[in-house]
Amino acid sequence: MIGALKDRIRSAGLRVTASRVAVLELLNQTDRPLNHLEVTESLAHSTWDRATLYRNLMDLTEAGLLERVSLGSTWHFEAQDPDHASAHPHFVCTECGTVECAPEVTVTPSKKRIGPKSIRRGTVQVQLHGLCDDCV
Amino acid sequence: MIGALKDRIRSAGLRVTASRVAVLELLNQTDRPLNHLEVTESLAHSTWDRATLYRNLMDLTEAGLLERVSLGSTWHFEAQDPDHASAHPHFVCTECGTVECAPEVTVTPSKKRIGPKSIRRGTVQVQLHGLCDDCV
DNA sequence: ACTTTATTGCAACTTAGTTGCGTGAACTGT
DNA sequence: ACAGTTCACGCAACTAAGTTGCAATAAAGT
Ligand SMILES: [Mn+2]
Ligand SMILES: [Mn+2]
Ligand SMILES: [Zn+2]
Ligand SMILES: [Zn+2]
């Protein structure tokens, strides 16, 4: 379990440190993207510095083990593993800021060939901003 | 032209000041949302303070003449006038941060009744994040 | 075990966003 | 046109997210 995480970190060319394992394990156990603050709070029992966890998140992202996405007003990080489907839409509550995955939504460009080409190409991250069920 | 803007500001219960008129005129002439920094730079010829323009944006938003939307890493403001179609998707470049309107895109929820109700209700702001044509 | 080099902890810094407060400008009513 | 009232502005300070320099420390290769 954790051994597999260590292997993936090492295979990515990064040294295996306790904080990196903890960060990767946390995000693999969570079914939604977390931001830097949420990660530090989730690992508050330990003594790792904000900057350390920040660099862990950035290093793991650059190594391809996480994905960083701008959700709402902060950057969020999501595990990038074979299980979790790769690019899928996300929902952001404009009231409380909570984030959840919304893989069931599909986006259709118009027939007119206008706007950025990446939309037609399908290489875009989709976000839906609105009130969550708790905030309506 | 500007007289109409002044009327709309006054009708909204706000005092007509030079900076408010300038901010509202700028955003009515621009076909995409601007953030606070872009507004201050566009009006840099004048001497208005950042805080003044910030409060102008917030006041005009609260009055319903602008709409504030979290695009990319900053808040953006868009004119909310009868001409410009109301809620429409926006495209954000993940590389250079530029924003453009993408009214031609439609979003379809799945048949399964899962996820936040506002998606099915259609009361969500749609955002597409990807590389713009200049950044590919 | 030793050497090399990546990583950590700490503190400082940048930028976006926000607010308190005294001065000054916009409206209201005469 | 004028005075009084209230709102808005300018300035400076502040918070929070994100980021970085540097010396101390720990991981990997031998
Ligand atoms: Mn997700
Ligand atoms: Mn728009
Ligand atoms: Zn909510
Ligand atoms: Zn771009």
Side-chain angles (χ1 to χ4, degrees):
Chain A
M1 193 66 186
I2 291 197
L5 293 182
K6 290 183 179 178
D7 289 346
R8 295 182 62 207
I9 294 173
R10 212 185 323 264
S11 309
L14 295 174
R15 291 186 181 175
V16 176
T17 65
S19 63
R20 278 178 181 162
V21 174
V23 166
L24 192 54
E25 191 188 15
L26 169 64
L27 285 169
N28 270 288
Q29 289 174 350
T30 312
D31 63 340
R32 65 187 169 89
L34 301 181
N35 62 23
H36 178 214
L37 180 61
E38 290 170 322
V39 169
T40 59
E41 286 175 349
S42 297
L43 303 177
H45 53 85
S46 63
T47 64
W48 294 308
D49 191 76
R50 320 183 318 113
T52 297
L53 297 175
Y54 167 78
R55 283 190 272 232
N56 289 163
L57 290 167
M58 298 299 279
D59 294 341
L60 293 171
T61 298
E62 201 167 350
L65 304 185
L66 299 180
E67 190 184 16
R68 184 173 89 146
V69 50
S70 175
L71 287 172
S73 50
T74 63
W75 288 105
H76 286 66
F77 298 85
E78 185 168 34
Q80 194 74 1
D81 68 311
D83 307 345
H84 201 78
S86 51
H88 55 263
H90 288 108
F91 177 87
V92 184
C93 179
T94 51
E95 187 72 22
C96 65
T98 56
V99 169
E100 52 184 298
C101 304
E104 67 278 4
V105 174
T106 55
V107 164
T108 319
S110 80
K111 285 134 198 163
K112 302 173 187 171
R113 308 196 172 283
I114 54 177
K117 298 197 181 87
S118 38
I119 296 180
R120 194 164 307 282
R121 245 185 240 119
T123 58
V124 283
Q125 271 274 356
V126 178
Q127 289 183 27
L128 305 175
H129 293 238
L131 294 175
C132 76
D133 289 354
D134 291 343
C135 289
V136 280
Chain B
M1 193 68 185
I2 292 197
L5 294 181
K6 292 184 178 176
D7 287 346
R8 296 182 61 207
I9 294 173
R10 213 184 322 260
S11 307
L14 296 175
R15 291 185 181 176
V16 176
T17 67
S19 64
R20 278 176 180 164
V21 173
V23 166
L24 192 55
E25 190 187 16
L26 168 66
L27 285 169
N28 269 289
Q29 289 172 350
T30 311
D31 62 342
R32 65 188 169 89
L34 300 181
N35 62 23
H36 179 215
L37 179 62
E38 291 171 322
V39 169
T40 58
E41 287 174 349
S42 297
L43 303 177
H45 53 85
S46 63
T47 63
W48 293 309
D49 191 76
R50 315 181 324 109
T52 297
L53 297 175
Y54 168 79
R55 281 191 272 233
N56 289 162
L57 289 167
M58 297 300 280
D59 293 341
L60 292 170
T61 299
E62 201 167 349
L65 305 185
L66 300 179
E67 189 184 15
R68 186 173 88 146
V69 50
S70 173
L71 285 173
S73 51
T74 62
W75 288 105
H76 286 66
F77 298 85
E78 186 167 33
Q80 193 74 359
D81 66 311
D83 306 345
H84 201 77
S86 51
H88 55 264
H90 288 108
F91 177 87
V92 184
C93 179
T94 52
E95 186 72 22
C96 67
T98 56
V99 169
E100 51 185 299
C101 304
E104 69 277 6
V105 175
T106 54
V107 165
T108 320
S110 80
K111 284 133 198 163
K112 303 171 186 171
R113 306 197 174 282
I114 55 178
K117 298 199 182 83
S118 39
I119 295 180
R120 195 165 306 282
R121 245 185 240 120
T123 57
V124 283
Q125 271 274 354
V126 178
Q127 291 182 25
L128 306 175
H129 293 237
L131 294 175
C132 74
D133 289 353
D134 290 342
C135 289
V136 278

